[in-house]
Amino acid sequence: MGAKIYVGGLPYSATEAELSDLFSAHGTVRSARVITDKFTGKSRGFGFVEMSTDEEAQRAIAALNATQMGGRTLTVNEARPQETRTGGGGRGGSSRFR
């Protein structure tokens, strides 16, 4: 397991500092990031935390999954590798648009 953790169900008001504080009780937090909408800048309700070791990450997942933060239930699990994205936009390949 990698030391990167996915955290879903975050309150929309959650900050990166609050996320880091929550996880620091279970080990050393290397980084904590709340994902925001690129147009509005508002939280999308999820984020990622990177712990120093795999063992710390496992402890944090076991301790925090299905707990409450700001009235919302957190989903905490191992982050999956980011999928490769293909180029977007444009009018891709369909002959009906030509």
Side-chain angles (χ1 to χ4, degrees), residues 32-92:
R33 185 159 178 236
V34 174
I35 304 303
T36 57
D37 181 271
K38 68 180 178 180
F39 298 110
T40 66
K42 294 182 181 179
S43 169
R44 294 186 62 196
F46 71 95
F48 296 94
V49 175
E50 190 173 355
M51 305 293 286
S52 289
T53 67
D54 291 348
E55 293 76 25
E56 290 174 343
Q58 286 290 353
R59 276 198 310 267
I61 289 169
L64 296 172
N65 189 42
T67 60
Q68 296 280 315
M69 180 181 185
R72 297 193 64 191
T73 303
L74 298 179
T75 300
V76 182
N77 54 39
E78 179 182 350
R80 294 186 299 231
Q82 186 173 2
E83 294 179 8
T84 304
R85 295 181 182 187
T86 59
R91 302 193 326 199

Side-chain angles (χ1 to χ4, degrees), residues 15-21 23 29-34 47-50:
T15 65
E16 291 177 352
E18 291 170 331
L19 190 58
S20 180
D21 289 345
F23 279 79
V29 175
R30 279 202 228 157
S31 67
R33 185 159 178 236
V34 174
F48 296 94
V49 175
E50 190 173 355

